[in-house]
């Protein structure tokens, strides 16, 4: 920050100095709200939160070297007393930003991808000059001014993430550090509850481009109709990014590799260059294009933009972190946060990354969705249940709608797979030519068993293949033995009881081992078989076999999810972990990964 004497801080915030504060004592920063982050020269801002009161930590902050405390009541030691500490923090940041005339401020907003895009963009601006960008999300009425206060006279760029939890929030944030460039990624369903509708969310996010000056640039996603429409709400010039021809900055020929990483040609009005992302998930293309468009507007050559995007690895934790255990189990830790859109993006990425492998997911009910919550959570369940998983764990409270949706979709997927299989076998019988269902690059001709559970390269179940689930070597009973969901009862919407386990949907009797083996009480030639196909040995002498059941389990928390998974996982499996922030599911991922290290 630009050093400020306490007298000036009191003046900016209309505060009163107490506790023998020396008006000439200089605050050099950082300004912090966490006493553990205090350094010599800091100003400690005492915020009274729901659980903790910063004033209780004033003495600790002073011991750590704080020059003074910005507080709402006198504390032990020098303080600037103000009526509202958060408002005073904003005033301080506003005054500092006004003094930083050499800084270009870039604001990023959207329902999903702000942090990821901010990290990419900060990488680009750092190629031009010293850049300040928040650590992690830091995007609200506290994080935003704290970030602004980190800038000093050397700073050339501030890349700021702006979040809206209601109408007017972004407008307030743009008053602190008025942006010259405003990037809007998407309008989704995050915080739908407080807003009451997507249009209201668009209204709130559009406050960013309304705040831009005539000389500024609005960087808008052409592929999102509600974002595209924001072009009419700004005085600034508009640059579109997207996949389609109409976008000035666009991705052409997007290809996604087997791990779910995209590559494409970045096209701009002044040339093109190839990009190969190291970030996981196709949604990273949207974020990369947004960053590229802002970088382009700042005058960066397209080759430099492409090279930086290609070199970028995740900066902020728990967003599509992909880690392979020594035994080949791949863990996708996307547990930072979740909303309906980022859930969908994560499942899409996971389908690609986990193709041909047994896939499991740990999820939790989404929050802050208001009246739509139960319906959107049932939809999440349907997404998970229909995505060809071998098993699904739903952690935490309010899991009812998720479990219900998952159960229904899994049963439908299984029934569809079974019908396709039956039809295929009937056709084969009619033609009297014994033909096994042969997945893309799969089993040898003449093999009548289910697809091997390892190394299968065909499309995942949720990508249009209607055969039996490819990822399990279970040779089970004939179709007539498979009762379609006998007596399966969805828990009521209030949430399943702790420890409640849905029986495998549509599968055989409850009580089977968690995964992989043949269901209890059902025998098949050759006994339980966990490995690849038995080449040339059609189970049941060429009889049909059932499509795979998905196991769906409810557990109370992140730790219990890890314990449950431990019993399921086999070498080579893939796991997706994703839930709302409050569930802390990164703990599940960490436990699963730690388990392998022991
Ligand atoms: N463009 C995108 N579309 C959909 N999902 C995305 C997109 N970009 C990132 N995600 C996913 O959304 C989640 C949050 O990503 P990120 O932290 O970048 O977003 P954010 O907007 O900063 O979120 P928050 O509002 O929680 O700060 C992650 O799971 C990430 O994988
Ligand atoms: Mg964020």
């Amino acid at each position: 920050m630009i050093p400020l004497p306490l007298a000036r801080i009191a003046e900016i915030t209309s505060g009163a100095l107490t506790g023998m504060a020396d008006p000439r004592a200089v605050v050099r920063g950082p300004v912090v709200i966490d006493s553990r982050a205090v350094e010599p020269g800091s100003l400690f801002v005492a915020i009274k939160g729901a659980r903790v009161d910063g004033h209780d930590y004033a003495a600790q902050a002073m011991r750590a070297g704080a020059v003074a405390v910005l507080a709402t009541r006198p504390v032990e030691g020098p303080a600037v007393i103000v009526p509202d500490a958060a408002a005073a923090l904003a005033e301080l940041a506003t005054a500092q930003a006004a003094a930083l005339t050499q800084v270009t401020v870039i604001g990023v907003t959207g329902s999903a991808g702000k942090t990821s895009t901010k990290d990419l963009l900060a990488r680009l601006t750092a190629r031009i000059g010293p850049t300040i960008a928040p650590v992690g999300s830091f995007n609200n009425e506290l994080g935003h001014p704290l970030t602004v206060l980190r800038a000093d006279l050397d700073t050339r760029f501030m890349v700021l993430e702006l979040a809206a939890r209601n109408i007017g929030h972004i407008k307030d944030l743009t008053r602190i550090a008025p942006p010259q460039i405003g990037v809007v990624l998407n309008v989704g369903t995050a915080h739908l509850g407080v807003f009451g509708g997507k249009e209201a969310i668009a209204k709130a996010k559009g406050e960013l481009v309304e705040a831009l000056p005539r000389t500024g640039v609005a960087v808008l996603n052409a592929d999102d109709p509600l974002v595209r429409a924001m072009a009419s709400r700004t005085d600034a010039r508009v640059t579109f990014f997207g996949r389609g021809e109409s976008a000035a900055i666009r991705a052409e020929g997007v290809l996604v590799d087997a791990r779910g990483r995209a590559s494409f040609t970045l096209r701009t009005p002044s040339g093109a260059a190839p990009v190969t992302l190291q970030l996981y998930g196709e949604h990273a293309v949207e974020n990369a294009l947004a960053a590229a468009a802002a970088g382009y507007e700042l005058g960066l050559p397209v080759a430099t933009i492409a090279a930086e995007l290609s070199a970028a690895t995740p900066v902020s934790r728990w967003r599509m972190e992909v880690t392979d255990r020594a035994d080949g189990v791949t863990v996708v830790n996307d547990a930072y946060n979740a909303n309906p859109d980022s859930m969908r993006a994560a499942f899409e990425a996971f389908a690609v990354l986990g193709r041909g492998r047994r896939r499991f997911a740990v999820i939790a009910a989404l929050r802050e969705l208001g009246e739509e919550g139960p319906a959107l959570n049932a939809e999440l369940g349907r997404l998970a249940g229909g995505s060809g998983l071998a098993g699904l764990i739903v952690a935490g409270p309010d899991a009812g709608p998720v479990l219900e949706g998952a159960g229904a979709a899994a049963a439908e997927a299984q029934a569809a797979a079974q019908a396709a299989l039956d039809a295929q076998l009937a056709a084969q019988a009619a033609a009297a030519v014994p033909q096994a269902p042969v997945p893309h690059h799969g089993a040898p001709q003449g093999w009548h068993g289910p697809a091997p559970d390892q190394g299968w390269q065909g499309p995942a179940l949720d990508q249009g293949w209607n055969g039996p689930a490819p990822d399990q070597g279970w040779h089970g009973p004939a179709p007539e033995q498979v009762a379609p969901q006998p007596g399966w009862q969805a828990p009521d919407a209030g949430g399943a009881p702790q420890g409640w386990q849905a029986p495998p949907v549509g599968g055989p009797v409850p009580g089977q081992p968690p995964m992989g083996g043949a269901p209890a009480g059902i025998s098949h030639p050759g006994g339980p078989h966990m490995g690849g196909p038995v080449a040339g040995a059609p189970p049941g002498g060429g009889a049909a076999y059932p499509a795979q059941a998905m196991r769906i389990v409810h557990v109370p928390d992140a730790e219990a999810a890890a314990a449950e998974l431990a019993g399921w996982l086999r070498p080579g499996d893939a796991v997706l972990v994703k839930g709302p922030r409050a569930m802390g599911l990164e703990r599940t991922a960490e436990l699963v990964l730690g388990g392998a290290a022991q």
Side-chain angles (χ1 to χ4, degrees):
M1 69 180 288
I2 305 172
L4 286 177
L6 286 182
R8 177 76 185 122
I9 291 177
E11 193 184 337
I12 292 168
T13 60
S14 308
L17 294 180
T18 64
M20 312 275 286
D22 175 359
R24 291 160 305 175
V26 174
V27 171
R28 298 178 188 281
V31 179
V32 298
I33 58 171
D34 181 341
S35 59
R36 293 164 299 185
V38 167
E39 293 171 26
S42 277
L43 177 70
F44 174 63
V45 184
I47 300 286
K48 189 170 173 357
R51 283 177 300 116
V52 243
D53 184 348
H55 295 82
D56 297 340
Y57 296 86
Q60 188 184 322
M62 294 307 298
R63 278 196 300 277
V67 178
V69 181
L70 186 64
T72 52
R73 55 180 153 82
V75 292
E76 216 178 293
V80 182
I81 306 299
V82 292
D84 180 338
L89 177 64
E91 284 159 3
L92 213 48
T94 308
Q96 284 264 302
L100 296 169
T101 48
Q102 81 289 357
V103 172
T104 299
V105 178
I106 307 166
V108 179
T109 195
S111 293
K114 294 180 291 296
T115 297
S116 309
T117 303
K118 173 265 298 173
D119 289 340
L120 286 171
L121 184 50
R123 215 189 145 96
L124 294 180
T125 58
R127 288 293 300 257
I128 314 175
T131 295
I132 295 287
V135 180
S137 265
F138 267 52
N139 57 18
N140 61 13
E141 68 279 10
L142 297 176
H144 188 78
L146 288 173
T147 305
V148 171
L149 283 164
R150 283 174 47 210
D152 60 24
L153 291 170
D154 290 333
T155 306
R156 290 295 171 270
F157 295 97
M158 278 201 273
V159 184
L160 302 172
E161 174 175 339
L162 291 85
R165 293 180 63 82
N166 222 325
I167 304 283
H169 282 183
I170 288 185
K171 190 173 179 185
D172 289 346
L173 295 181
T174 59
R175 287 202 179 115
I176 293 175
Q180 281 89 48
I181 297 181
V183 180
V184 188
L185 290 165
N186 44 48
V187 172
T189 30
H191 311 305
L192 194 60
V194 286
F195 282 105
K198 265 186 138 186
E199 280 66 27
I201 298 177
K203 186 165 175 359
K205 305 243 177 279
E207 289 170 7
L208 175 59
V209 297
E210 283 173 353
L212 295 171
R214 200 170 284 281
T215 51
V217 185
V219 176
L220 299 178
N221 185 354
D223 299 336
D224 185 321
L226 289 172
V227 177
R228 179 180 259 282
M230 289 178 195
S232 65
R233 289 170 60 187
T234 185
D235 293 335
R237 193 158 52 76
V238 175
T239 288
F240 286 110
F241 66 90
R243 298 283 193 99
E245 290 270 309
S246 69
I249 308 295
R250 59 184 183 270
E252 288 176 356
V254 177
L255 290 175
V256 179
D257 75 7
R259 300 277 276 175
R261 290 167 298 201
S263 57
F264 56 90
T265 300
L266 173 65
R267 177 137 334 253
T268 73
S270 53
V275 174
T276 302
L277 293 177
Q278 295 183 56
L279 306 170
Y280 294 89
E282 198 173 339
H283 56 272
V285 175
E286 182 172 283
N287 305 341
L289 285 175
Y296 179 80
E297 288 297 337
L298 291 167
L300 274 174
V302 61
T304 306
I305 296 173
E308 287 296 337
L309 293 176
S310 301
T313 49
V315 174
S316 302
R317 296 283 326 261
W318 310 329
R319 283 129 175 123
M320 292 302 286
E321 262 181 42
V322 179
T323 313
D324 290 317
R325 287 200 324 200
D327 64 354
V329 167
T330 300
V331 178
V332 181
N333 179 354
D334 198 35
Y336 168 70
N337 207 350
N339 62 47
D341 309 295
S342 71
M343 272 289 187
R344 191 163 296 282
F347 270 95
E348 276 168 19
F350 188 55
V352 175
L353 189 143
R355 185 170 287 171
R357 302 160 73 174
R358 291 200 328 158
R359 279 176 290 135
F360 299 92
V362 180
I363 60 174
L366 301 172
R367 304 178 184 194
E368 299 183 29
L369 296 168
E371 275 178 14
E372 305 243 25
L376 288 168
N377 273 316
E379 212 174 287
L380 164 63
R382 292 193 61 83
L383 171 73
S387 64
L389 300 173
L392 173 71
I393 297 175
V394 184
D398 304 321
V402 183
L403 292 164
E404 208 169 320
E412 277 167 31
Q414 192 188 7
Q418 191 61 57
L421 183 62
D422 290 348
Q424 194 170 1
L425 289 171
Q428 282 169 17
V433 179
Q435 283 283 319
V438 180
H440 269 40
H441 322 282
Q445 288 291 328
W447 172 68
H448 294 227
D453 60 349
Q454 295 274 327
W456 183 71
Q457 299 294 317
L461 250 195
D462 47 348
Q463 303 226 327
W465 184 59
N466 286 327
D471 51 359
Q472 293 246 343
W474 176 54
H475 302 194
E480 62 272 17
Q481 291 175 269
V482 182
Q485 299 192 73
W488 185 78
Q489 284 281 320
D492 45 11
Q498 299 271 308
W500 176 83
Q501 298 207 347
V505 178
V509 288
Q512 70 173 93
M515 217 42 67
I522 295 171
S523 62
H524 67 83
H529 176 68
M530 315 252 305
V534 183
Y545 44 86
Q548 182 61 50
M550 182 192 298
R551 188 157 176 86
I552 303 172
V553 173
H554 177 234
V555 298
D557 54 30
E559 279 77 14
E564 184 72 33
L565 260 184
W568 293 8
L569 290 175
R570 295 201 313 243
D573 289 345
V575 187
L576 169 68
V577 184
K578 182 167 181 69
R581 180 84 297 272
M583 273 308 295
L585 288 186
E586 66 277 1
R587 181 87 189 116
T588 306
E590 279 158 9
L591 286 168
V592 170
L593 288 169
Q598 287 159 10

